[in-house]
Structures are given as C-alpha cells and as structure tokens.
C-alpha cells in the first residue's frame, strides 16, 4: 500500500507545459469526461509507476492528514454496478475531520493526470477491496478508455456560477466543472477580501441524500480544481480552517475553510 509523503513539494506549482504539469492538468478540467467503458487490457507497469510517482509529489490539502492507497485489479474489488476496468485505486485514511476532503483533493489531481496522459477514470463511492479495510474511503476505476473520454464545454451539466458563489473570481469556473457524486455539486463560495470562504452541504437531501453521503469528498475534488486553476496563473493555493470571522453560511451549508493565495501554512492550528 502506498502511503502519501506529505513532505513532498507540489510538482506543478509553477506554470509549465508537458504531461502532468499544471498546464496539462488545467486544460484537462475543461475537456475530461467520466466513463464506464474501459479497455480491459492492463496498463503497462511503467504507466502505473508514472501514476504512483505523480501522486507522491502532490502537495496535500492539509499536511497532518494521513492518506494511503493501493492499485488493484478488478478481481480484488467489490461494489455495486462496477465498471469493467483493468485497475482500481482504493483510497484509505486515518480518522480526521478533513480526511475525506483531503482524499478528494489529492486524488482528483491523480484523475486529472490520468486524463492528461490519455487514460480515463471514474470515482466510485461503492468500490472497496474484498479484503476488509476499516479506514477505506472511496475508490477510483481507471484504465484506457474504450471510447473518447472527452467532451466540449457545453456538454457539462452543471449549475450556473450564480448558484455556487457570492462574488466573482475567474477560478470558480474550474470548480463549477468539477465532478461530484450524483452530480450534487455540494459546494458554495463567498468571495471576500482577496480570498474565498468555502462551504458545502453535508447531505444532498431527499432520496439522493439517502443513496450518497460523501459530499466531503466532492468538496475536495472542487478544491483541487480551484488549486489547479490558481496555480495555472502562478498563484499558490492555501487552505485554512478555524476562521472565526467567516460570513454566515447559506441555509443548508456547513463552513469548511478559507482559500487564499499567498504565503503561510495550509492549516491554522
């Protein structure tokens, strides 16, 4: 099992060109599409090593959250209506209030990287290993797509910016296009004083809310897109919690933290 080294520097915190760099990840945000149709042939060992190396170099959302993962084949996974993919990435982590959000943040970077090198991936809340893991969070199916896993901007079924934010920021479009369970898009942002206050719905409500309860993972996925969009323009991404002066959250939303560009720790004590 691969354990994430939180001391690694962010491998794409500068605007560059080439596979796996921020330039490549950023452009993938606007074209990637999830798929359930994969070629069943396993990927070469070199490709899996490339994915592992990329993950190990992603700067974590919160340094003291311990995450780990393992890449397994389909025979080692169980879950409801799983796609026939050659590989599954199973994500685990020790208990922490922001564990799931950190998992979404870190591994959505991996999903973007996979798409940037011609692969495809799909988040799967039901996928888990056949061997019990009490720290399991979520899974991702991935491999070579059996059909193009891309789309045009108008093909994204997403809420308008006016429904996910108060105030304007050019990087919010990248968040708007982020994937989420049941397409719930559970995030909300209030732009204020050069930063953003971040909120999310802990439950989606109705029948959908009974079927899906990992909106905190979705929040991390959205924050990943926000980080990649900011770093595309050379702006570092910093996430902090414990802001006592945060605006009152919209009805039904819970405060998660604040995003700023600039120096300092990713997490206030």
């Amino acid at each position: 099992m691969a354990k994430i080294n939180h001391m690694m520097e962010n491998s794409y915190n500068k605007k560059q060109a080439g596979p796996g760099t921020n330039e490549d990840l950023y452009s993938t945000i606007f074209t990637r599409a999830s798929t359930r149709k994969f070629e069943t042939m396993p990927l070469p060992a070199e490709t899996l090593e490339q994915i592992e190396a990329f993950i190990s170099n992603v700067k974590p959302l919160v340094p003291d959250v311990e995450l780990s993962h393992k890449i397994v084949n389909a025979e080692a996974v169980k879950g409801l209506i799983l796609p026939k993919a050659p590989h599954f990435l199973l994500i685990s982590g020790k208990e922490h209030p922001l564990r799931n959000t950190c998992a979404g943040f870190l591994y959505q970077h991996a999903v973007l990287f996979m798409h940037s090198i011609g692969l495809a991936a799909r988040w799967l809340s039901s996928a888990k290993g056949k061997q019990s893991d009490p720290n399991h969070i979520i899974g991702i199916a991935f491999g070579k797509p059996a059909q193009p896993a891309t789309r045009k901007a108008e093909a994204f079924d997403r809420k308008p910016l006016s429904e996910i934010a108060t105030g304007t920021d050019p990087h919010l479009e990248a968040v708007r296009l982020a994937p989420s369970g049941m397409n719930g898009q559970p995030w909300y942002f209030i732009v204020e004083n050069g930063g953003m206050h971040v909120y999310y719905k802990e439950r989606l409500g109705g029948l959908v809310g009974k079927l899906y309860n990992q909106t905190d993972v979705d929040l991390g996925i959205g924050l990943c897109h926000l980080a990649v969009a900011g770093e595309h323009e050379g702006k570092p991404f910093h996430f902090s919690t414990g802001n006592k002066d945060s605006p009152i959250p919209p009805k039904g939303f819970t405060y998660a933290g604040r995003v700023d560009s600039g120096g300092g720790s990713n997490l206030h004590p």
Side-chain angles (χ1 to χ4, degrees), residues 11 75 124 155 183 217-218:
S11 63
E75 287 70 32
L124 297 165
N183 199 24
V217 174
D218 298 332

Side-chain angles (χ1 to χ4, degrees), residues 84-102:
K84 294 180 179 179
H87 305 286
F88 290 80
L89 196 155
L90 302 179
I91 303 163
S92 301
K94 293 187 177 181
E95 283 298 328
H96 187 285
L98 290 170
R99 180 192 70 165
N100 289 9
T101 300
C102 289

Side-chain angles (χ1 to χ4, degrees), residues 14 16 28 56 69 116 119 122 136 180 223 231 242 245 265:
K14 295 181 180 179
Q16 305 175 56
T28 299
S56 71
H69 68 269
S116 77
L119 304 179
R122 185 181 186 90
H136 176 76
S180 57
L223 289 174
E231 288 162 1
D245 298 322
S265 170

Side-chain angles (χ1 to χ4, degrees), residues 169-205:
D169 186 286
H171 307 132
L172 284 171
E173 178 62 12
V175 182
R176 192 182 75 85
L177 299 180
S180 57
M182 301 292 185
N183 199 24
Q185 306 162 68
W187 39 69
Y188 196 87
F189 301 85
I190 296 179
V191 182
E192 182 183 73
N193 299 327
M196 297 185 205
H197 295 281
V198 183
Y199 307 84
Y200 76 107
K201 287 184 177 181
E202 295 186 47
R203 291 280 182 174
L204 295 177

Side-chain angles (χ1 to χ4, degrees), residues 18-36:
T21 61
N22 178 269
E23 182 73 19
D24 225 37
L25 299 185
Y26 178 72
S27 62
T28 299
I29 287 174
F30 302 92
T31 60
R32 55 147 294 282
S34 183
T35 184
R36 297 190 65 88

Side-chain angles (χ1 to χ4, degrees), residues 6 15 21 23 53 86 88 116 134 140 142 144 154 158 165 167 169 173 191 202 210-211 220 226 232 244 258 260 267:
H6 294 308
K15 187 176 178 181
T21 61
E23 182 73 19
F88 290 80
S116 77
I140 297 173
F142 70 96
K144 188 174 181 180
E154 58 268 22
R158 299 291 189 266
D169 186 286
E173 178 62 12
V191 182
E202 295 186 47
K210 294 180 180 179
L211 297 173
L226 187 62
H232 173 70
K244 297 180 180 180
R258 179 181 167 91
D260 290 284
L267 183 68

Side-chain angles (χ1 to χ4, degrees), residues 36-58:
R36 297 190 65 88
K37 296 182 178 180
F38 298 89
E39 293 187 2
T40 56
M41 180 70 68
L43 298 173
E46 294 80 3
T47 301
L48 298 179
E49 291 170 2
Q50 190 180 8
I51 293 169
E52 292 279 18
F54 175 84
I55 292 172
S56 71
N57 280 287
V58 176

